Each structure stands twice: as structure tokens, then as C-alpha cells.
Amino acid sequence: MSDSQINSHVEWIVQLLLIPKRLSFRWRNRNRTKVTESLIFVLKKRYDDANRANLPIYCEIYNVGLFIALLERDISSYNRSLFFAKSELERQFFARGLAVLLYEGAEDLPKLLGKQYRISLKALNLEDKVFQSLNEISSELNKFKKNHSDSLFKIRNYIGAHRDHDASKQLEIFSALKSIEIYRLGAEFSEPIENLVSFYTYLLNHMHNPFVMLQQVAKTIPHEN
């Protein structure tokens, strides 16, 4: 029996063994896409409304929230595609794309949740526990970046975005790529992202408190000397 025939039989067994897990995956995530799409719709609409009303603080917060929701959607799509892939070549293809997304997300999110974002939040007179929650999420993101940034950078540069043109090195990294490990990193990174989605659920309710909104509108009205 040739190597390709052996690999084909092994893949058939893998696909068979994955059936129960895939059914479980579909059940656990049955409402996730709907929730994310709904959040994207709401944030985009509210961003547009805030932009028309000239409320820069609201625009800043909605923009970051929209970035998080779009990132969450993309990570979920890659995870789902990786989990339901029909061959190792497919799994590696999706793993490469997911690795690029994880690297960029780990780089960008801490910046978006940084000083300017917190200045905007402070203008909303939020409770201290909100900032404590944000600090905990930021700590998780920074931990992920510290632990995995170097390995993800190599995958991104050589076989994800093909920034480096050393083809021999590309083949070396591609051969060493374990799609299951990237899938696990995607699941790990999803935890603080999901916490941010929950964070935004509270934040949006607070921001649309009529008293809070009136305060922000009042700041845009010119005052006579």
C-alpha cells in the first residue's frame, strides 16, 4: 500500500471519529453567529448615529467594539473551517490564515484598548469595577501575546502572508506546522475576546442610559462666555 493510500485511510478514520465532536461543536455554537452578527449590526448603526450627532467619545468606543466583533467573527469562522476541514492540506491552509489573524489581533487589540480608549471610558463616569474588568481582559491579551507572538510571527511572515521570500524556510515551517496547535491557540485567544463581547454588553447599556447620553450631548453644545 502506498503512502498516499495509507494517508487516505487515516484521513477517513479521522473524519469518522470527528463526527460526534462536530455535532457537539455545532450545538455549542448554534447561536454564536447570530449573536455576533446582531452585535455588528447594532454597533455599526450606533457608530453612524454618534458620528452624525458629533459624539467623538461614543464613536471611539463603538469603533473599538466593532473591531472586536469583526475579529471575533473571523476567528470563529477560521476555527469552524479548521474543525470541519476534509483533509490535512485544508486544515493547514485554514491554520495559516488563523495564525495571521491571531498575530495581528494580539498586536492590535492592546493598542486599541490603551490610553485613548480609557480616556473615553472615563468620560462616561463608569464604576471602578468596569476598569478592573478591562484590566483583567487586557492582562489575558498581553499574556497571550507574550507567550505566542514569536511563533505566530514566523508562521505569518513565511507561510501566512508570505512576507519573507526564503522558499526553503517556508517549506521548513510549513512541514513543522501543526494545525491542531493553531486551533488550540484560536480557542485560547477567543476567551478574552468573548469576555470583551460581554464587557460591551454592559457598556452599551450604560452608554444608552438617557442621563449619560444627555451629559455627552451637553459637551458638544457651545457655551457662551
Side-chain angles (χ1 to χ4, degrees), residues 1-3 5-6 9:
M1 186 179 289
S2 66
D3 288 346
Q5 288 176 316
I6 293 172
H9 283 300

mmCIF file of all heavy atoms in Angstrom, residues 1-3 5-6 9:
data_model
loop_
_atom_site.group_PDB
_atom_site.id
_atom_site.type_symbol
_atom_site.label_atom_id
_atom_site.label_comp_id
_atom_site.label_asym_id
_atom_site.label_seq_id
_atom_site.Cartn_x
_atom_site.Cartn_y
_atom_site.Cartn_z
ATOM 1 N N MET A 1 0.841 -1.194 0.000
ATOM 2 C CA MET A 1 0.000 0.000 0.000
ATOM 3 C C MET A 1 0.883 1.253 0.000
ATOM 4 O O MET A 1 1.814 1.353 0.784
ATOM 5 C CB MET A 1 -0.910 -0.002 1.229
ATOM 6 C CG MET A 1 -1.942 1.129 1.245
ATOM 7 S SD MET A 1 -3.022 1.068 2.706
ATOM 8 C CE MET A 1 -4.013 -0.391 2.330
ATOM 9 N N SER A 2 0.584 2.197 -0.878
ATOM 10 C CA SER A 2 1.400 3.412 -0.990
ATOM 11 C C SER A 2 1.128 4.363 0.168
ATOM 12 O O SER A 2 0.125 4.237 0.882
ATOM 13 C CB SER A 2 1.100 4.127 -2.307
ATOM 14 O OG SER A 2 -0.229 4.621 -2.308
ATOM 15 N N ASP A 3 2.041 5.340 0.325
ATOM 16 C CA ASP A 3 1.873 6.347 1.388
ATOM 17 C C ASP A 3 0.583 7.129 1.210
ATOM 18 O O ASP A 3 -0.103 7.443 2.183
ATOM 19 C CB ASP A 3 3.067 7.311 1.387
ATOM 20 C CG ASP A 3 4.331 6.654 1.910
ATOM 21 O OD1 ASP A 3 4.221 5.574 2.513
ATOM 22 O OD2 ASP A 3 5.423 7.223 1.702
ATOM 23 N N GLN A 5 -2.192 6.130 -0.170
ATOM 24 C CA GLN A 5 -3.336 5.277 0.201
ATOM 25 C C GLN A 5 -3.464 5.168 1.713
ATOM 26 O O GLN A 5 -4.568 5.191 2.266
ATOM 27 C CB GLN A 5 -3.171 3.892 -0.422
ATOM 28 C CG GLN A 5 -3.384 3.861 -1.930
ATOM 29 C CD GLN A 5 -3.115 2.498 -2.516
ATOM 30 O OE1 GLN A 5 -2.119 1.844 -2.175
ATOM 31 N NE2 GLN A 5 -3.990 2.048 -3.410
ATOM 32 N N ILE A 6 -2.326 5.041 2.383
ATOM 33 C CA ILE A 6 -2.336 4.982 3.854
ATOM 34 C C ILE A 6 -2.895 6.279 4.427
ATOM 35 O O ILE A 6 -3.748 6.257 5.325
ATOM 36 C CB ILE A 6 -0.912 4.724 4.390
ATOM 37 C CG1 ILE A 6 -0.442 3.319 3.999
ATOM 38 C CG2 ILE A 6 -0.866 4.897 5.903
ATOM 39 C CD1 ILE A 6 1.012 3.041 4.320
ATOM 40 N N HIS A 9 -6.636 6.465 4.031
ATOM 41 C CA HIS A 9 -7.355 5.639 5.012
ATOM 42 C C HIS A 9 -7.333 6.290 6.395
ATOM 43 O O HIS A 9 -8.345 6.273 7.115
ATOM 44 C CB HIS A 9 -6.717 4.244 5.077
ATOM 45 C CG HIS A 9 -7.085 3.360 3.933
ATOM 46 N ND1 HIS A 9 -8.380 2.998 3.651
ATOM 47 C CD2 HIS A 9 -6.315 2.779 2.975
ATOM 48 C CE1 HIS A 9 -8.407 2.214 2.592
ATOM 49 N NE2 HIS A 9 -7.161 2.068 2.148
#
